[in-house]
Every structure is written in C-alpha cells, then in structure tokens.
Amino acid sequence: MRSVQVTTGVRPTRSQATWGIASLVSYAVGYPLALVADEGLGWVLVMLGGVCLLGLGVVTVRRIHRGSGVSP
C-alpha cells in the first residue's frame, strides 16, 4: 500500500493560474450578459468558461500524476 504525502503551501503553476483566471473572467462576464442583458454572446462566454475549467482540470490532473512518481 502506498502512502500519500501531503505538502502544505503548494502554489498553482502558471498554466493553472491562467486557466483558472480565464474561466473566472469568462463566467463573471458571461453570466450577467446572458441572464440580465439576454445576450447570446453571454452564453458563448459561459461555454468558453466551461472549456477553460476543463483545461484547468486537465492541467491539475497532469501535475498530480507527475508528482506521484507513477510511470504511465
């Protein structure tokens, strides 16, 4: 059985920060446009935010896998 080592103070990488900020901005601009202003562009931005959130997940899983020392 492998033990899991928890490291405190782990900071996000530049790519994680970029994907996270892009997702946050897309949602923050897209939802008000879509719901309040009834703009189609708002829903496009919300969808783009979902894609950015998926990218953040992929980058995070790759980072975790790389740090685990398990070869594919």
Side-chain angles (χ1 to χ4, degrees):
M1 178 108 185
R2 291 178 47 122
S3 64
V4 176
Q5 181 181 5
V6 178
T7 306
T8 59
V10 177
R11 298 181 59 90
T13 61
R14 182 179 300 262
S15 59
Q16 284 177 313
T18 302
W19 282 110
I21 291 169
S23 178
L24 182 68
V25 168
S26 294
Y27 282 137
V29 174
Y31 271 116
L33 276 176
L35 298 175
V36 176
D38 199 28
E39 286 284 330
L41 175 63
W43 291 117
V44 171
L45 288 173
V46 169
M47 184 181 68
L48 183 62
V51 171
C52 291
L53 198 59
L54 181 65
L56 174 62
V58 167
V59 168
T60 302
V61 167
R62 283 184 180 172
R63 180 179 179 189
I64 292 170
H65 185 70
R66 229 184 0 249
S68 69
V70 177
S71 61

